[in-house]
């Protein structure tokens, strides 16, 4: 490993950044997306008194005496089959679509979700490397900036498909995502008033010193959580793709891997939202005991921190999944009412109250 | 039955005598009915209660009565309760308190409380009579009669060809009861008796109404049938086994109200409720009997006569009735063939139009069939006139009979004459055409629906022609030599009209789709006439007929819509 | 119709009680299925459903106790069949007579298109000869459309035997008991 140390710092930074990107995307995000789908299917099955996927069995299963059938019943191989299927299915482009945008939309849907992950500190340190791809000082602003691009993918898909269902889905998503971005953005302002910094690593450090922000800012958390559901188009706010009303919403006309990209985009956005909530409200990679709240000094500790972060994130994802099978869909006017007439004033009030409290505390 | 509008030129009898009317009450409603009405032969006879009820729109069920047969009065189904004005000892009507005459209901003489019905088909009406076709007593009589008729009936409707058009079924539903008091074993009579070459008899189903016997004796004039044995064992029989073989036997199948007499041809072929019934005409001779074509899924199953008192009453001959099988034949011409190659209508019509448009006057001969419709012959004559062509049709003379079969075996001889396609003496131009071909003056021959090789223009002459255009339905020697062969339609596959031997113009409707690429000839001819003469015409059969009526003097004043179901007679 | 909107209390308007009860319901079902293994579904190809008595499965033709075809080709089922799945070719006047003595008529061909059949049971209901019954088969498969058109042989083979009143035999026996007909003079 000497050759790394001999490189100049810029090169080192570039190499490690690329390494981190590859690891995060292909070893973390993609498997989590695949298996989140499995968990989603299994959880929904159990909630509905069913069994869920338990069929896919690759050829080698028969050589594993007890474990093999057990894994099959768990449905472990279904995500693999799903992935394979996405690649092998006919990629059909209807004749009536606007081709350029039609092809562009799935990419635009998936890229912002992944970009948002760049500023998430998913661990303390591993050796000399900080466990964040880009430790930006304007972390949260970057996140909001990128996340708001996500809407283009859906709107473009709705527009390009040239189908009334897709079009309605696109229209719905644009209005919905823009509305909830405001509530979401305003909900986190009190946090940064408390922390005094926009860098997400600093937010974690702040929480490691005191209590988690979820306890200090419960209202902000509720607004952020609900807005996150809306931003990721998850039930009870999945109006852009409401199956019962719009067939498939903005992705009605998509098939094969292009459709799968929308799927990946949705789940990646869910990961990003969960990760963001862990960072902002649940102390990131820290735990307030056993000295786990200080940056790691050994490799073991480093991995432990990553483990803590991922565990917290997965718990939040299960919440996302569970809620989908628990609540019915909102009506569109109710959705807008909740966003504009409840959350925006509430978030504003929260800012004012926080400011007053801070002023009172500092004024003494 | 409707009396169709006619342009009969017979002088109308001056001031017809006023019809004497009688006032009676049917089901409590007072109506006036004529005192005399035509019987089965059309002679005036005292109006019967059944006719009076029909005029009052009251249906009286009946089996043995048929308007075109002598009255027998043996089925008892038409029993109705009735009453007549009571007469006092002074032979004056007994009046009620309100001044209306008192009605004495007909009762059993020895049991005055019990109503006594009369058979409506044979009882004449009298002034002031009251008929109760819906009274409880009448209903009870009907129930009893039906139960009696069903005592020995096998109730084998699932295998009976009459099921679906069976009066016994219909009346059992309407007037019968579901239970029978008869618990003893039924009398079992012979089944599937071979009565004649075209008729099968099932004696168990027979209700002995004698319609078949009366028809064959009084209408067909062949006293072949009768009843043998007695009581429950009575059966219909031919005087000799298999001797019921005149040319009108199949009418008894229509007449038979139950499934006793069935047609060997239609036996077990298809259930009647699947039949699509299309009003059409029989084309086997010049009489033009009105028929109903029964078809299902583009297959013709049977012809049945349709009432038209100006033509065929309600009958038709067996030979005409069974002459439908060629429509379903497998070797029907289905493709447009140009010089041995399968082609399309567009290509063939283009070629014919160009050829005919260029043809020198007199170099074309048109041989149309007198079995084509008026419209087709009219279009052909238009074409021929433009081309200066020699035209004719082929006469067909066969044997006629005194009832329906005409000696003229062409279905539209008069149409061919009136439209001018046939020469004054039909067939006289055939020789002229043959000579023209021999001398080389005639280079193009247009043949519609005839095999010219059988009519003096042999294969040697055909070989001399430059172009032979043939339209036909079935292959023959002429279609084999055709340069351009156009597949035609059977009359059941198109619409049009015929003029029968007596000058009655009648229309027929389309029952089934043409086979393969075949198209109605009038559509094709319309296109040709337009291409060759440059005249626009009507592309609908209605418009075409009306146009023809304007241009052909014999048809003046006619309209497609005015033809109705039974046609209009024109002077010939 | 105007539905009056219920007046919600403050707690109800917060949605929180509804959220909690939703959580309760879903958790109840989840735990029952996940921990206790109680499920309402069946894993089909391995576990086969027990067809109840009176189930309306595929219609098949039956034979009587003497092994004869009961159908007399009356075509009532063809007529009543709503999706027009049944096609019968009658024997015609020269066709093969019925297997059952005295019945005269038997279908030359009897086809049911199982792709069209909707298992409504009208054919069974309308049959005057008790010759067609909806039986217990519910999973019919084939590799081609043609294969799914069951012909007379197949329908009879699948249908089995149905012992019932032998109407035609009874009639024949009755006729045999009587004196010969026509009475010879």
């Amino acid at each position: 490993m000497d050759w790394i140390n001999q490189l100049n710092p810029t090169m080192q930074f570039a190499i490690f950044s690329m390494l981190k990107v590859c690891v995060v995307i292909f070893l973390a995000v993609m498997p989590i997306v695949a298996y989140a789908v499995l968990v989603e299917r299994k959880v929904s099955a159990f909630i509905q008194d069913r069994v869920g996927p338990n069929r896919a069995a690759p050829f080698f299963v028969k050589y594993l005496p007890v474990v093999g059938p057990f894994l099959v019943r768990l449905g472990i191989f279904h995500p693999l089959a799903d992935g394979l299927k996405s690649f092998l299915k006919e990629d059909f482009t209807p004749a009536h679509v606007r081709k350029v945008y039609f092809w562009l939309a799935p990419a635009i849907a998936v890229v912002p979700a992944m970009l948002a992950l760049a500023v998430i500190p998913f661990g303390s340190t591993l050796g000399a490397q900080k466990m964040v791809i880009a430790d930006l000082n304007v972390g949260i602003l970057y996140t909001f900036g990128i996340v708001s691009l996500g809407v283009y993918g859906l709107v473009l898909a709705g527009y390009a498909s040239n189908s009334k269902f897709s079009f309605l889905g696109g229209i719905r998503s644009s209005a919905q995502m823009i509305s909830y971005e405001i509530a979401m953005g305003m909900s986190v302002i009190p946090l940064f008033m408390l922390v005094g910094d926009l860098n997400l690593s600093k937010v974690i450090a702040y929480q490691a010193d005191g209590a988690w922000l979820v306890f200090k800012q419960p209202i902000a958390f509720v607004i952020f959580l609900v807005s996150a559901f809306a931003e990721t188009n998850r039930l009870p706010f999945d109006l852009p793709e409401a199956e019962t009303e719009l067939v498939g919403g903005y992705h009605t006309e998509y098939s094969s891997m292009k459709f799968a990209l929308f799927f990946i985009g949705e789940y990646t956005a869910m990961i990003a939202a969960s990760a963001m909530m862990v960072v902002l409200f649940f102390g990131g990679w820290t735990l307030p005991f056993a000295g786990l709240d200080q940056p790691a000094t050994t490799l073991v500790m480093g991995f432990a921190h990553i483990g803590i972060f991922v565990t917290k994130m997965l718990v939040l994802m299960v919440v996302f999944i569970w809620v989908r099978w628990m609540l019915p869909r909102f009506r569109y006017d109710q959705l807008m009412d909740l966003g504009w007439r409840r959350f925006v004033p509430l978030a504003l009030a929260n800012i004012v109250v926080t400011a007053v409290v801070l002023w009172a505390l500092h004024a003494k | 039955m409707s009396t169709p509008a006619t342009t009969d030129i017979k002088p109308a009898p001056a001031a017809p005598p006023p019809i004497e009317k009688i006032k009676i009450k049917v089901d409590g409603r007072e109506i006036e009915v004529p005192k005399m009405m035509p019987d089965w032969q059309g002679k005036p006879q005292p109006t019967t209660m059944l006719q009076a009820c029909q005029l009052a729109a009251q249906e009286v069920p009946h089996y043995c009565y048929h308007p075109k047969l002598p009255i027998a009065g043996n089925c008892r189904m038409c029993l109705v309760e009735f009453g007549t004005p009571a007469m006092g000892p002074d032979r004056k009507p007994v009046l009620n308190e309100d001044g209306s005459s008192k009605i004495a209901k007909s009762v059993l003489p020895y049991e005055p409380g019990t109503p006594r019905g009369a058979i409506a088909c044979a009882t004449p009406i009298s002034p002031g009579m009251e008929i109760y076709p819906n009274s409880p007593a009448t209903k009870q009589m009907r129930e009893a009669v039906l139960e009696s008729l069903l005592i020995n009936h096998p109730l084998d409707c699932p295998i009976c060809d009459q099921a679906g058009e069976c009066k016994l079924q219909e009346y059992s539903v309407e007037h019968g009861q579901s239970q029978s008091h008869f618990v003893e074993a039924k009398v079992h009579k012979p089944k599937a008796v071979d009565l004649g070459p075209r008729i099968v008899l099932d004696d168990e189903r027979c209700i002995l109404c004698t319609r078949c016997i009366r028809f064959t004796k009084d209408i067909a004039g062949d006293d072949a049938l009768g009843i043998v044995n007695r009581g429950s064992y009575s059966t219909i029989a031919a005087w000799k086994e298999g001797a019921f073989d005149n040319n009108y036997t199949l009418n008894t199948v229509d007449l038979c109200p139950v499934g006793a007499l069935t047609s060997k041809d239609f036996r077990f072929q298809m259930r009647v409720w699947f039949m699509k019934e299309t009003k059409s005409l029989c084309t086997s001779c010049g009489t033009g009997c009105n028929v109903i074509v029964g078809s299902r899924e583009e297959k013709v199953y049977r012809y049945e006569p349709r009432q038209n008192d100006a033509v065929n009453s309600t009958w038709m001959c067996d030979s005409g009735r069974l002459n439908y099988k060629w429509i379903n034949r497998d070797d029907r011409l289905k493709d447009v063939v140009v010089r041995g190659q399968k082609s399309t209508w567009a290509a063939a019509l283009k070629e014919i139009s160009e050829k005919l448009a260029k043809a020198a006057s007199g170099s074309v001969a048109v041989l149309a069939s007198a079995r084509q419709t008026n419209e087709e012959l009219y279009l052909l004559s238009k074409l021929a006139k433009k081309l200066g062509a020699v035209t004719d049709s082929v006469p067909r003379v066969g044997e006629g009979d005194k009832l329906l079969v005409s000696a003229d075996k062409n279905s539209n001889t008069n149409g061919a004459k009136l439209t001018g396609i046939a020469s004054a003496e039909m067939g006289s131009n055939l020789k002229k055409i043959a000579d023209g071909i021999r001398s080389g003056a005639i280079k193009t021959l247009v043949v519609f629906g005839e095999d010219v090789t059988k009519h003096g223009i042999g294969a040697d002459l055909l070989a001399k022609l430059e172009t032979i255009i043939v339209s036909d339905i079935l292959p023959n020697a002429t279609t084999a030599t055709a340069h351009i062969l156009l597949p035609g339609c059977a009359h059941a596959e198109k619409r049009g009209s015929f003029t029968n031997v007596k000058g009655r113009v009648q229309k027929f409707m389309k029952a089934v789709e043409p086979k393969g690429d075949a198209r109605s000839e009038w559509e094709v001819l319309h296109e040709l006439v337009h291409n060759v003469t440059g005249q626009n015409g009507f592309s609908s059969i209605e418009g075409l007929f009306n146009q023809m009526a304007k241009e052909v003097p014999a048809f003046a004043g006619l309209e497609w819509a005015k033809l109705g179901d039974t046609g209009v007679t024109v002077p010939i | 119709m105007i539905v009056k909107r219920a007046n919600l209390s403050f707690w109800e308007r917060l949605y929180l009680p509804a959220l909690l009860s939703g959580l309760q319901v879903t958790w109840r079902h989840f735990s029952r299925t996940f921990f206790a293994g109680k499920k309402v579904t069946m894993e089909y190809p391995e576990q086969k459903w027990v067809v109840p008595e009176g189930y309306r499965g595929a219609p098949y033709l039956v034979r009587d106790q003497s092994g004869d075809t009961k159908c007399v080709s009356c075509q009532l089922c063809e007529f009543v069949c709503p999706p027009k799945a049944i096609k019968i070719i009658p024997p015609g006047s020269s066709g093969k007579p019925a297997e059952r003595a005295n019945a005269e008529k038997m279908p030359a061909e009897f086809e049911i298109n199982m792709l069209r059949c909707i298992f409504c049971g009208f054919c069974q209901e309308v049959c005057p000869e008790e010759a067609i019954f909806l039986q217990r088969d519910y999973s019919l498969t084939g590799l081609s459309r043609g294969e799914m058109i069951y012909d007379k042989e197949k329908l009879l083979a699948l249908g089995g035997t149905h012992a019932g009143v032998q109407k035609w035999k009874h009639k024949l026996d009755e006729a045999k008991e009587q004196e010969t007909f026509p009475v010879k003079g």
Side-chain angles (χ1 to χ4, degrees):
Chain A
M1 297 293 271
D2 281 345
W3 60 274
I4 290 175
N5 295 329
Q6 286 159 12
L7 294 170
N8 64 33
T10 321
M11 278 305 272
Q12 277 189 19
F13 175 75
I15 285 173
F16 279 107
S17 290
M18 266 153 68
L19 200 63
K20 281 187 277 192
V21 168
C22 292
V23 168
V24 166
I25 299 292
F26 294 105
L27 291 185
V29 173
M30 286 303 172
I32 290 176
V33 166
Y35 281 89
V37 175
L38 178 66
V39 171
E40 176 116 44
R41 290 170 68 181
K42 275 287 183 187
V43 165
S44 73
F46 291 140
I47 287 177
Q48 294 166 355
D49 299 347
R50 293 185 284 114
V51 192
N54 63 352
R55 293 280 145 163
F59 67 94
F60 56 80
V61 165
K62 63 176 175 229
Y63 302 115
L64 306 169
V66 183
V67 187
F70 177 70
L71 292 179
V72 169
R73 284 204 67 78
L74 275 185
I76 291 296
F77 305 108
H78 271 268
L80 303 178
D82 285 344
L84 195 64
K85 182 186 73 175
S86 295
F87 279 107
L88 294 183
K89 278 212 160 186
E90 186 192 356
D91 191 356
F92 185 74
T93 307
H96 53 73
V97 301
R98 297 175 177 90
K99 290 223 170 50
V100 175
Y101 304 124
F102 189 78
W103 281 71
L104 210 54
I108 295 183
V110 79
V111 167
M114 295 211 171
L115 284 178
L117 291 168
V119 292
I120 306 285
F122 52 88
S124 54
T125 51
L126 218 52
Q129 291 300 324
K130 289 181 103 175
M131 281 299 102
V132 54
I133 297 169
D135 195 16
L136 294 182
N137 284 329
V138 291
I140 193 72
L141 289 183
Y142 165 85
T143 308
F144 280 106
I146 290 297
V147 164
S148 59
L149 289 177
V151 70
Y152 283 107
L154 311 194
V155 172
L156 211 55
Y159 166 74
S161 291
N162 197 7
S163 136
K164 48 186 162 301
F165 297 118
S166 302
F167 186 68
L168 283 171
I171 296 269
R172 282 184 180 191
S173 72
S174 63
Q176 171 180 336
M177 292 177 83
I178 289 166
S179 304
Y180 276 83
E181 238 157 54
I182 293 166
M184 198 181 199
M186 290 206 295
S187 72
V188 294
I189 288 173
L191 266 59
F192 296 100
M193 288 163 71
L194 292 175
V195 177
D197 201 318
L198 290 177
N199 189 315
L200 293 175
S201 302
K202 296 280 161 51
V203 177
I204 293 171
Y206 174 84
Q207 293 181 79
D209 289 343
W212 289 356
L213 280 166
V214 67
F215 302 116
K216 287 188 177 172
Q217 285 290 346
I219 294 174
F221 172 66
V222 168
I223 296 173
F224 192 90
L225 180 71
V226 174
S227 303
F229 275 99
E231 285 290 299
T232 52
N233 295 323
R234 296 281 303 182
L235 262 167
F237 305 115
D238 71 334
L239 288 107
E241 49 186 313
E243 292 89 349
T244 40
E245 302 156 30
L246 300 180
V247 187
Y250 56 87
H251 57 57
T252 304
E253 307 288 339
Y254 283 89
S255 55
S256 182
M257 205 53 210
K258 289 212 276 291
F259 170 75
L261 279 178
F262 281 113
F263 224 78
I264 292 169
E266 184 185 320
Y267 277 84
T268 311
M270 212 164 99
I271 292 171
S274 303
M276 191 55 76
M277 276 190 282
V278 171
V279 171
L280 290 179
F281 295 101
F282 292 98
W285 41 263
T286 68
L287 275 179
F289 48 79
L292 286 168
D293 52 354
Q294 293 307 314
T297 46
T298 60
L299 275 179
V300 178
M301 282 292 277
F303 281 117
H305 281 151
I306 294 174
I308 290 165
F309 182 87
V310 171
T311 309
K312 286 179 179 176
M313 190 183 79
L314 292 180
V315 169
L316 277 172
M317 285 188 68
V318 170
V319 172
F320 266 92
I321 287 166
W322 195 287
V323 165
R324 176 167 176 190
W325 306 106
M326 199 170 96
L327 297 177
R329 186 180 301 128
F330 269 55
R331 219 169 52 209
Y332 203 72
D333 63 317
Q334 292 170 334
L335 172 89
M336 283 297 163
D337 181 80
L338 188 70
W340 287 102
R341 290 181 48 213
R342 308 290 150 99
F343 282 169
V344 171
L346 198 62
L348 278 173
N350 199 22
I351 293 169
V352 172
V353 169
T354 310
V356 169
V357 170
L358 281 178
W359 173 74
L361 287 176
H362 287 278
K364 65 181 173 183
Chain B
M1 106 201 71
S2 63
T3 44
T6 68
T7 53
D8 258 343
I9 48 159
K10 280 178 211 155
I19 300 164
E20 201 180 335
K21 297 232 172 182
I22 295 180
K23 269 191 186 166
I24 61 163
K25 264 188 176 175
V26 178
D27 202 20
R29 194 165 65 89
E30 189 162 87
I31 61 159
E32 267 197 345
V33 294
K35 191 181 175 190
M36 305 289 263
M37 278 180 80
D39 71 347
W40 63 283
Q41 286 168 310
K43 291 179 195 145
Q45 292 285 338
T47 304
T48 62
M49 294 205 296
L50 195 138
Q51 286 169 322
C53 286
Q54 276 175 348
L55 289 175
Q58 287 288 343
E59 180 65 25
V60 177
H62 54 265
Y63 290 116
C64 71
Y65 169 79
H66 187 278
K68 301 289 173 188
L69 290 177
I71 288 163
N74 57 21
C75 75
R76 319 308 288 177
M77 192 61 209
C78 62
L79 278 175
V80 286
E81 194 191 6
F82 72 104
T84 44
M87 292 287 182
D90 53 354
R91 303 305 297 158
K92 282 195 180 139
V94 184
L95 295 182
N96 286 325
E97 283 169 14
D98 60 354
S100 61
S101 62
K102 193 169 179 169
I103 297 294
K105 285 193 181 179
S106 168
V107 291
L108 293 178
Y110 46 85
E111 211 175 315
T114 309
R116 176 191 189 215
I119 47 170
C121 67
T123 312
I125 52 166
S126 59
M129 189 185 233
E130 289 195 359
I131 306 171
Y132 314 109
N134 294 316
S135 73
T138 304
K139 284 181 178 166
Q140 218 179 343
M141 288 185 241
R142 284 176 191 161
E143 271 180 20
V145 168
L146 266 175
E147 196 181 337
S148 158
L149 288 174
L150 286 169
I151 278 180
N152 286 325
H153 189 85
L155 298 174
D156 55 354
C157 304
I159 57 163
C160 177
D161 272 324
Q162 189 80 2
E165 51 184 15
C166 172
K167 287 284 178 216
L168 204 53
Q169 271 184 341
E170 287 167 22
Y171 291 158
S172 291
V173 171
E174 265 177 80
H175 308 291
Q177 48 193 4
S178 56
Q179 295 288 316
S180 171
H181 295 92
F182 190 76
V183 292
E184 293 80 3
K186 295 189 175 211
V187 171
H188 290 274
K189 300 196 208 175
K191 290 181 89 76
V193 179
D194 194 353
L195 215 53
R198 291 173 290 278
I199 302 287
V200 182
L201 167 69
D202 187 310
D203 273 312
E204 288 190 335
R205 296 178 194 150
C206 178
I207 58 166
L208 301 167
C209 70
T210 70
R211 273 184 177 190
C212 49
I213 298 173
R214 282 175 281 151
F215 170 80
T216 193
K217 177 168 179 279
D218 294 323
I219 307 285
D222 170 26
D223 199 355
L225 296 180
I227 292 180
V228 297
N229 296 330
R230 295 191 341 184
S232 294
Y233 296 96
S234 304
T235 49
I236 301 284
W239 64 275
K240 201 178 83 183
E241 208 161 300
F244 186 42
D245 59 355
N246 65 58
N247 197 22
Y248 291 91
T249 55
L250 283 170
N251 287 303
T252 60
V253 176
D254 303 330
L255 283 170
C256 186
V258 294
L261 295 170
T262 49
S263 155
K264 277 187 189 170
D265 179 61
F266 187 63
R267 186 173 162 89
F268 300 161
Q269 294 290 1
M270 188 48 66
R271 303 317 298 259
V272 297
W273 52 76
F274 289 117
M275 293 286 125
K276 184 176 97 177
E277 301 198 322
T278 313
K279 287 168 182 165
S280 187
L281 299 172
C282 174
T283 55
S284 296
C285 74
T287 307
C289 290
N290 290 213
V291 301
I292 287 173
V293 175
S295 62
R296 185 190 181 204
E297 288 174 358
E298 311 308 331
K299 189 182 170 195
V300 175
Y301 281 92
R302 66 173 180 185
Y303 285 178
E304 281 186 302
R306 175 162 62 92
Q307 184 166 6
N308 184 348
D309 289 346
V311 179
N312 59 322
S313 184
T314 54
W315 325 118
M316 73 184 293
C317 69
D318 290 2
S319 47
R321 186 195 294 252
L322 297 179
N323 188 16
Y324 66 88
K325 292 184 178 147
W326 57 275
I327 298 172
N328 302 332
R329 251 164 72 173
D330 286 333
D331 61 345
R332 286 277 305 271
L333 299 174
K334 289 171 187 162
D335 297 317
V336 181
V337 181
V338 176
R339 282 175 295 278
Q341 297 295 311
K342 194 182 162 189
S343 183
T344 60
W345 280 104
L349 286 180
K350 187 160 176 273
E351 194 181 333
I352 297 171
S353 308
E354 280 166 6
K355 280 222 165 91
L356 292 184
K358 274 188 272 176
S361 180
S363 73
V364 180
V366 176
L367 205 99
S369 171
R371 289 170 160 177
Q372 285 182 272
T373 68
N374 292 329
E375 295 79 10
E376 288 158 15
L377 293 166
Y378 156 72
L379 286 169
L380 271 172
S381 73
K382 258 181 121 166
L383 198 65
K385 213 174 281 171
K386 168 78 180 172
L387 298 169
V390 193
T391 66
D392 207 352
S393 307
V394 176
R396 272 190 189 77
V397 181
E399 223 171 286
D401 69 9
K402 59 185 192 305
L403 189 56
L404 286 177
V405 181
S406 163
D408 181 359
K409 297 297 173 193
N410 279 329
S411 53
N412 200 15
T413 303
N414 279 326
K417 283 182 181 161
L418 296 177
T419 51
I421 203 89
S423 52
E425 193 194 329
M426 192 187 273
S428 61
N429 273 354
L430 281 171
K431 204 170 167 312
K432 214 190 276 178
I433 295 172
D435 292 343
I437 298 172
R438 202 168 287 123
S439 71
I442 290 171
K443 294 191 171 65
T444 304
L445 181 64
V446 181
V447 183
F448 267 74
E450 292 287 0
D451 183 3
V452 292
T453 56
K454 287 180 184 162
H455 303 289
I457 304 173
D460 53 326
L461 286 180
L462 289 178
K464 284 187 161 187
L465 287 161
E466 272 175 21
T467 315
I468 312 174
I469 300 160
V470 181
S471 163
D472 213 326
I473 300 167
L474 292 162
N476 58 35
T478 308
T479 59
T481 60
H483 298 131
I484 300 174
L485 178 60
L486 308 172
C489 284
H491 73 291
E493 293 161 356
K494 63 187 175 192
R495 294 194 293 165
S497 65
F498 287 136
T499 314
N500 82 352
V501 283
K502 289 177 184 157
R504 194 159 187 92
V505 182
Q506 307 183 94
K507 68 182 179 189
F508 56 89
M509 296 297 162
K510 176 176 169 179
V512 291
E513 286 298 324
K515 304 271 184 293
D517 270 349
R519 273 174 75 189
S520 305
E521 286 90 338
W522 67 265
E523 284 179 23
V524 178
L525 285 169
H526 168 260
E527 221 169 304
L528 273 183
V529 167
H530 172 263
N531 291 350
V532 175
T533 67
Q535 295 170 14
N536 268 324
F538 286 90
S539 55
S540 71
I541 193 78
E542 293 89 349
L544 183 60
F545 182 89
N546 296 346
Q547 186 193 6
M548 173 179 76
K550 283 199 190 89
E551 292 182 18
V552 178
F555 295 140
L558 290 188
E559 271 176 46
W560 179 265
K562 277 192 196 159
L563 290 181
D565 289 339
T566 53
V568 172
T569 304
V570 296
I572 47 170
Chain C
M1 193 175 76
I2 296 166
V3 179
K4 203 167 174 294
R5 208 153 282 240
N7 276 325
L8 301 178
S9 67
F10 176 72
W11 276 110
E12 285 169 334
R13 265 184 292 157
L14 268 185
Y15 299 136
L16 287 177
L19 282 178
L20 287 176
S21 77
L23 191 62
Q24 197 190 347
V25 168
T26 46
W27 175 253
R28 195 170 65 227
H29 280 270
F30 181 89
S31 58
R32 199 162 60 191
T33 321
F34 188 68
F35 299 116
K38 284 181 190 163
K39 56 183 200 280
V40 295
T41 52
M42 228 173 354
E43 288 177 53
Y44 169 63
E46 293 91 14
Q47 281 174 290
K48 283 269 173 22
W49 175 49
V50 182
V51 181
E53 205 55 51
Y55 176 78
R56 300 195 305 204
Y60 295 142
L61 291 177
V62 295
R63 293 179 186 277
D64 67 3
Q65 49 265 59
S66 322
D68 295 330
T69 311
K70 286 186 119 189
C71 177
V72 296
S73 180
C74 77
Q75 296 181 285
L76 280 173
C77 49
E78 183 179 2
F79 182 66
V80 82
C81 184
K84 299 198 191 301
I86 299 178
K87 183 182 178 182
I88 297 171
I89 299 174
S93 49
S94 55
K96 208 173 141 194
E99 286 169 358
R100 285 190 285 175
N102 206 29
E104 291 188 75
K105 206 177 165 193
M106 186 175 74
E109 187 47 87
F110 192 116
E111 287 173 355
I112 301 182
N113 187 343
M114 292 299 181
L115 294 169
R116 283 186 157 224
C117 179
I118 56 169
F119 310 112
C120 64
F122 280 13
C123 48
Q124 176 183 338
E125 199 176 320
V126 82
C127 184
E129 300 291 329
E130 297 185 330
I132 190 167
F133 284 90
L134 263 67
Q135 305 199 348
R136 293 173 135 202
D137 290 6
Y138 58 86
S139 175
L140 308 175
T141 51
L143 295 174
S144 65
R145 285 174 185 275
E147 207 175 302
M148 293 305 287
I149 299 174
Y150 288 22
D151 64 3
K152 189 170 114 180
E153 293 308 312
K154 194 168 180 184
L155 291 168
L156 282 169
L158 290 166
T161 303
H162 176 266
V165 182
Q166 288 176 294
K167 186 166 88 181
W168 303 102
K169 192 165 171 280
H170 172 74
K171 278 188 181 178
L172 191 63
D173 293 345
E174 206 179 65
K176 275 179 187 161
E177 278 171 23
Q178 292 174 9
E179 53 190 305
T180 50
F181 192 94
V183 183
K184 301 283 183 212

